[in-house]
């Protein structure tokens, strides 16, 4: 509830606020008067009277702001850089002009002064200046080390001296930063210097790669300790960066040595390095922030897998080494049962998942070769069944090097299934829903892919491979049509469809296998569609069964020795069956999918017969019969009726053209008269019927073939009669407001006129100069562009007028 103060308290608050507002207003007015005076312009009269300041809140006079800290820092940094450059130049170029005593005295005095000055500046509360001088002092100590090596120990090995000098400098800078706690530069600089001693020592000693790895790892461990217990954010960030560089380099060195090791003893040393790196990463992850803890946990997991797997895999070929690493990665999964910080556990699980993903990437080419390999057999359909399974897949894979791929798939599928079972029983903490779905789908896909991969690796006989894949498709379909929801049924359906395509392509190698496989697939898809309760699954399965039936029908024509056009009517049996089944199915979506697949079969039949005009006319007529049969149903009547009319007309045109008829009117006019009578009676009984349905078939049956012949006819009677008929149809359509006669008659009339005027237009164009047609076209475009809006409105009115016609 909102607190409402008593009236006396609220009045006191209002008085206080008003007094503050008056004071602030007086300040702004004073500032305005000062600005006006500076600019030399007369002050404009204030629209409000200036009240006097209240005694309890006197006005604060304006004071210019102090210089920004950014400007001060820039000046200090520039000064420190100039002094540093001067010191380096003095050391490098002016060193030889002074004696040993002078040189030592100058460097010692300058360095001592630079080291002492920050303490005095901090005492006078000048921290920024102290930071700049301290940075200069650190650079001077490096120059002192350089000078010391050049004068006092010129014969000492440079790497050894650098290693000792970096260690001494790191210790001195760290002590200096601890003594002067107000400085922020020395401690991070000490951390940076601490990255060098061990690496330089290993380099000076000529250590092997393992020595460098241990030097980097010990340095990374020291950095992790500084990150965990160091003082100050800058120190911890610098150490974290150092650990992020030295640690991964050390682990990469250990991984390279472990992979290239030839025996268990040779792999033990790199394994110890990797295990030590895993321990360092875990130690850092234990106290790191959430995101860094996840990354460190993942690094620790991957390092431990590489360490143990590198020892166990020695003596094995690389394909089985992948299995060893995979098993080591899976061994990280029980971290779910351990009491570790959640971010660390997530990182370890991420490492396990990364190992499994890498193994799957290695094994996936085998599955792809098994599924896509039969595509190469499309060029040799029914050329004969090969002896082994690999013979039907083509030379796309080095099979002896892939023998472990099915094992990888099975193992990962088992892990995913075990995780899903553990989540269901409450053994593990259930993740979000998306992870559950991914585990179910992944286990299903990998389990399915392992079977054909195993068949290919084992090179089983062709018949065995085809039979096993058919059984696998049947099992997946049974799993897909089971009741309930989840990722498994849909994933099983997708796998079944892909497997059906693969085994279907595989079966095209032999004629008996084609009939056996596609017949079995037809039965499986149809049975699964009948048992499924999900509409989407039933629709997909119904389409699959129709496609299998189309393949069987096409193969039947080829087996009988018929040509492609003669086989087309056999293929039309499948669309005929889909029309009958579609009328009896109660689910509209399933019926529509079934009939759409049947329509695809009709297109296949048309494509088969397109090279033979008589058979094409027969196929078009049969398709028209099927469309007319579908039009009997009220829900299919609008689309199927128009399609049936178009198919019948197209069949007539093709038949006339195939028969070499030069006077098609003798055949089309009687049909048009009958069709016109039927359309007229239909229009009388149903006034709402479209003119395209009533009169479109009658008009197009005669006009279109006549127009095609008229364009190749050199005489004048046919174009004249056709133009007159088209003119009559156009006038009647405009008078009775019928769209079909108006559009068809006007289109035919325009084309006939164009045909008659074409020779004269050509003569005129030949007589004109070459620049005239482009000029006329440009003028036309300019005219149209200038009146574009009006033409657009005219076109819109014409479209609306046509739309209102019947």
């Amino acid at each position: 509830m909102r607190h409402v103060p008593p009236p006396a308290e609220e009045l006191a608050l209002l008085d206080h606020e008003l007094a503050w507002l008056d004071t602030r207003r007086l300040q702004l007015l004073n500032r305005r008067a000062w600005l006006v005076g500076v600019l030399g312009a007369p002050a404009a009269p204030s629209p409000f009277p200036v009240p006097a300041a209240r005694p309890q809140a006197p006005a604060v006079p304006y004071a210019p702001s102090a210089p920004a800290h950014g400007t001060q820092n820039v000046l200090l940094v520039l000064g420190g850089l100039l002094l540093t450059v001067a010191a380096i130049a003095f050391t490098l170029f002016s060193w030889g002009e002074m004696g040993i005593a002078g040189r030592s005295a100058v460097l010692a005095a300058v360095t001592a002064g630079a080291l002492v000055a920050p303490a005095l500046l901090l005492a006078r509360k000048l921290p920024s200046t102290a930071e700049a001088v301290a940075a200069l002092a650190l650079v001077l100590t490096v120059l002192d080390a350089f000078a010391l090596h050049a004068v006092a120990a010129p014969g000492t090995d440079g790497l050894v001296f650098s290693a000792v000098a970096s260690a001494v400098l790191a210790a001195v800078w760290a002590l200096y930063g601890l003594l002067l706690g107000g400085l922020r530069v020395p401690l991070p600089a000490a951390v940076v210097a601490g990255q060098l001693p061990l690496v330089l020592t290993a380099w000076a000693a000529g250590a092997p790669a393992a020595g460098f790895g241990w030097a980097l790892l010990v340095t990374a461990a020291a950095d992790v300790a500084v990150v965990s217990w160091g003082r100050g954010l800058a120190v911890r960030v610098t150490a974290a960066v150092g650990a992020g560089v030295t640690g991964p380099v050390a682990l990469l060195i250990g991984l390279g040595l472990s992979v290239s090791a030839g025996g268990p003893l040779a792999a033990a040393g790199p394994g110890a390095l990797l295990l030590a790196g895993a321990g360092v990463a875990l130690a850092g992850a234990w106290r790191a922030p959430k995101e860094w803890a996840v990354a460190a946990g993942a690094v620790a997991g991957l390092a431990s897998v590489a360490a143990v797997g590198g020892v166990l895999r020695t003596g094995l070929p690389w394909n089985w080494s992948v299995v060893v690493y995979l098993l080591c990665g899976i061994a990280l999964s029980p971290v779910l049962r351990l009491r570790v910080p959640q971010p660390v556990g997530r990182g370890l699980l991420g490492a396990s998942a990364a190992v499994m993903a890498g193994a799957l990437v290695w094994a996936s080419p085998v599955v792809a070769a098994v599924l896509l390999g039969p595509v190469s057999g499309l060029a040799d359909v029914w050329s004969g069944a090969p002896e082994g399974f690999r013979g039907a897949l083509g030379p796309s894979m080095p099979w002896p090097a892939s023998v472990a791929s099915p094992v990888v798939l099975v193992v990962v599928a088992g892990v995913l299934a075990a995780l899903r079972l553990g989540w269901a029983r409450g053994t593990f903490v259930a993740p979000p829903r998306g992870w559950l779905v991914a585990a179910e789908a992944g286990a299903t896909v990998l389990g399915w892919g392992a079977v054909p991969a195993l068949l290919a690796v084992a090179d089983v006989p062709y018949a065995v491979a085809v039979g096993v894949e058919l059984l696998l498709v049947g099992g997946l379909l049974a799993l897909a049509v089971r009741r309930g929801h989840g990722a498994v049924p849909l994933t099983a359906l997708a796998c079944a469809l892909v497997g059906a395509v693969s085994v279907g392509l595989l079966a095209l190698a032999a004629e008996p296998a084609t009939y056996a496989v596609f017949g079995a697939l037809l039965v499986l898809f149809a049975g699964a569609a009948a048992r499924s309760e999900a509409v989407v699954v039933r629709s997909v399965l119904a389409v699959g069964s129709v496609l299998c039936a189309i393949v069987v029908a096409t193969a039947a024509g080829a087996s009988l020795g018929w040509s492609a056009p003669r086989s087309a009517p056999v293929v039309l049996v499948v669309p005929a069956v889909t029309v009958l089944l579609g009328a009896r199915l109660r689910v509209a979506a399933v019926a529509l999918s079934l009939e759409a697949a049947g329509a695809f079969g009709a297109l296949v039949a048309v494509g088969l017969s397109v090279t033979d005009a008589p058979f094409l006319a027969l196929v078009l007529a049969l398709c028209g019969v099927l469309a007319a049969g579908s039009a009997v149903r009220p829900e299919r009547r609008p689309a199927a009726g128009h399609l049936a009319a178009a198919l019948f007309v197209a069949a007539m045109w093709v038949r006339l053209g195939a028969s070499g008829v030069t006077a098609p009117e003798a055949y089309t006019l009687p049909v048009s008269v009958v069709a016109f009578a039927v359309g007229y009676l239909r229009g009388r009984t149903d006034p709402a019927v479209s003119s395209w349905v009533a009169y479109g078939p009658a008009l197009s049956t005669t006009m279109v073939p006549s127009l095609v012949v008229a364009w190749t006819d050199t005489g004048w009677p046919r174009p004249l009669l056709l133009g007159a008929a088209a003119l009559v149809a156009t006038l009647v359509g405009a008078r009775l407001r019928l769209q079909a006669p108006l559009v068809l008659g006007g289109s035919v009339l325009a084309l006939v006129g164009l045909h008659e005027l074409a020779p004269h237009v050509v003569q005129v164009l030949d007589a004109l100069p070459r620049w005239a047609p482009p000029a006329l076209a440009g003028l036309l475009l300019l005219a149209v562009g200038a009146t574009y809006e009006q033409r657009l409105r005219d076109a819109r009115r014409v479209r609306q007028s046509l739309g209102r016609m019947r």
Side-chain angles (χ1 to χ4, degrees):
M1 296 178 64
R2 183 177 181 183
H3 172 68
V4 178
E9 183 180 353
E10 186 176 2
L11 180 60
L13 292 175
L14 292 177
D15 288 338
H16 180 73
E17 293 291 330
L18 290 172
W20 184 87
L21 289 174
D22 290 340
T23 303
R24 182 58 180 161
R25 186 171 183 274
L26 182 59
Q27 292 176 6
L28 296 176
L29 289 173
N30 290 336
R31 178 62 177 169
R32 180 179 181 277
W34 181 82
L35 291 174
V36 171
V38 171
L39 294 175
S46 176
F48 302 100
V50 180
R54 302 207 173 198
Q56 64 270 24
V60 179
Y62 171 77
S65 58
H69 288 287
T71 305
Q72 179 185 9
N73 291 334
V74 169
L75 294 176
L76 292 173
V77 170
L78 289 177
L81 287 177
L82 290 175
L83 289 175
T84 303
V85 171
I88 294 174
F90 169 77
T91 305
L92 295 178
F93 303 110
S94 300
W95 187 257
E97 299 176 2
M98 302 178 63
I100 184 64
R103 288 179 285 184
S104 301
V106 170
L107 275 179
V110 173
T111 304
L115 290 173
V116 173
L120 302 177
L121 293 172
L122 288 176
R124 298 178 63 87
K125 297 185 178 181
L126 298 173
S128 299
T129 309
E131 292 286 353
V133 177
L136 175 62
L138 299 183
V139 175
L140 289 175
T141 55
V142 177
L143 295 177
D144 286 336
F146 172 78
L148 181 63
H149 178 264
V151 175
T156 307
D157 187 3
L159 289 175
V160 175
F161 187 87
S162 299
V164 175
S166 59
V168 172
L169 288 176
V172 170
W173 290 351
L175 180 60
Y176 185 68
L178 292 175
L179 292 176
L180 298 181
L183 296 178
R184 292 176 295 179
V185 174
L187 289 179
V191 174
V192 174
Q195 312 300 311
L196 302 176
L198 293 179
V199 177
L200 294 176
T201 301
W203 191 0
F212 276 96
W214 280 107
L216 290 168
L217 184 60
V218 173
T219 304
D223 290 332
V224 169
V226 173
V227 171
S228 301
W229 294 285
R231 185 178 65 181
L233 179 61
V235 175
R236 292 197 297 270
V237 170
T238 306
V241 173
V245 174
T246 56
V249 174
L251 293 178
L252 288 176
I253 292 174
L255 178 62
L257 295 174
S258 177
V259 170
S260 60
L265 294 178
L273 176 61
L274 291 169
L275 285 179
V280 171
L282 277 180
W286 214 266
R287 299 185 55 170
K290 182 178 179 180
E291 293 78 8
W292 292 99
V294 173
V299 170
L302 293 174
S304 60
V305 169
V308 179
V311 175
L312 297 179
R313 64 98 197 159
T314 53
L316 295 175
W318 176 246
N319 50 359
W320 290 106
S321 298
V322 175
V323 178
V324 173
Y325 284 112
L326 174 62
L327 295 177
C328 294
I330 294 172
L332 295 176
S333 300
V335 73
L336 292 172
R337 306 291 298 274
L338 301 178
R339 294 183 178 179
V340 297
Q342 185 178 4
V344 179
R346 289 174 55 188
L348 292 173
L349 287 180
S352 177
V355 174
M356 288 189 285
L360 289 179
V361 169
W362 175 82
S364 58
V366 175
V367 181
V370 173
L371 296 178
L372 302 179
V375 177
S376 61
L378 290 175
D380 299 320
V381 176
W382 290 3
S383 59
E387 295 183 1
F389 187 22
R390 296 180 189 173
L393 302 179
S396 58
M397 280 293 298
W399 296 107
S402 306
V403 293
S405 298
V407 179
V408 171
L409 297 173
V410 171
V411 170
V412 178
V415 171
L416 293 178
L419 284 176
R420 181 64 182 89
L421 186 61
W423 289 330
R425 292 181 176 179
T427 306
F428 309 130
V429 178
R433 175 64 182 170
W435 290 98
L436 299 176
V437 173
E440 293 176 351
T444 305
V445 172
L446 295 177
W448 159 70
V451 177
L454 180 61
L455 296 176
V457 167
D459 197 17
V460 299
Y462 172 80
V464 174
V466 172
V468 172
E469 288 202 23
L470 266 180
L471 293 176
L472 186 60
V473 171
L476 290 171
L477 289 177
L479 188 61
V481 300
R482 72 173 188 177
R483 295 185 179 182
H485 302 280
V488 174
L490 293 179
T491 306
L493 176 62
C495 294
L497 295 176
V498 176
V501 173
S502 178
V503 72
L505 294 174
L506 193 66
L508 294 178
E511 183 177 0
T514 302
Y515 287 106
V517 169
F518 282 98
L521 290 176
L522 172 61
V523 174
L524 289 174
F525 281 130
R531 293 188 57 186
S532 176
E533 296 181 357
V535 176
V536 176
V537 176
R538 291 185 65 184
S539 301
V540 172
L541 294 176
V543 171
S545 62
V546 173
L547 295 179
C548 292
I550 292 172
V551 175
V552 172
T554 306
S559 297
L560 293 174
W562 294 347
S563 61
R566 295 189 64 183
S567 302
V570 180
V571 178
L572 286 178
V573 175
V574 178
V577 175
T578 60
V579 170
L580 297 176
L581 291 177
R584 301 192 61 179
L585 289 175
R586 298 180 180 178
V587 183
V590 179
L592 181 61
S593 302
L594 188 71
E595 292 179 79
F600 174 76
L603 288 177
V604 172
V606 172
L608 291 174
S609 61
V610 74
T611 58
D612 193 327
F615 272 100
L616 178 60
L618 174 62
V619 170
L620 290 174
L622 293 176
C623 291
V625 172
L626 296 178
S630 296
V632 175
R633 299 156 56 190
E635 67 274 11
R636 299 285 188 267
R637 187 168 299 160
H642 291 80
L643 180 62
L647 288 171
F648 282 133
V649 172
M652 179 177 293
W653 295 343
V654 173
R655 181 67 262 181
L656 293 176
S659 301
V661 175
T662 58
E665 294 82 4
Y667 300 91
T668 58
L669 274 176
V671 178
S672 294
V673 171
V674 175
F676 185 82
V678 173
Y680 177 75
L681 294 176
R682 174 73 184 279
R684 290 288 301 274
T685 57
D686 187 6
V689 71
S690 172
S691 61
W692 289 98
V693 176
Y695 307 111
L699 294 172
S700 59
T701 298
T702 297
M703 283 188 174
V704 175
S706 298
L707 179 64
V708 173
V709 177
W711 268 76
T712 58
D713 193 356
T714 57
W716 59 270
R718 176 177 280 110
L720 178 62
L721 294 175
L722 180 59
L727 178 61
V728 171
T730 304
L731 296 176
V732 171
R735 178 67 180 81
L736 300 179
R737 301 184 62 79
L738 298 176
Q739 192 178 107
L742 178 62
V743 174
L744 285 175
S747 301
V748 172
L749 183 61
L751 292 174
V752 171
L754 179 63
H755 173 264
E756 294 303 313
L757 291 176
H760 305 288
V761 172
V762 171
Q763 292 178 1
V764 171
L765 291 177
D766 289 338
L768 291 175
R770 293 183 178 273
W771 57 265
L776 293 175
L779 292 175
L780 178 62
L781 291 177
L782 286 176
V784 173
T787 59
Y788 175 75
E789 296 294 335
Q790 181 63 36
R791 302 286 79 78
L792 191 62
R793 287 193 293 269
D794 294 342
R796 191 178 293 111
R797 282 197 294 271
V798 171
R799 187 185 64 182
Q800 293 173 355
S801 300
L802 285 175
R804 287 193 295 269
M805 291 182 178
R806 183 165 61 88

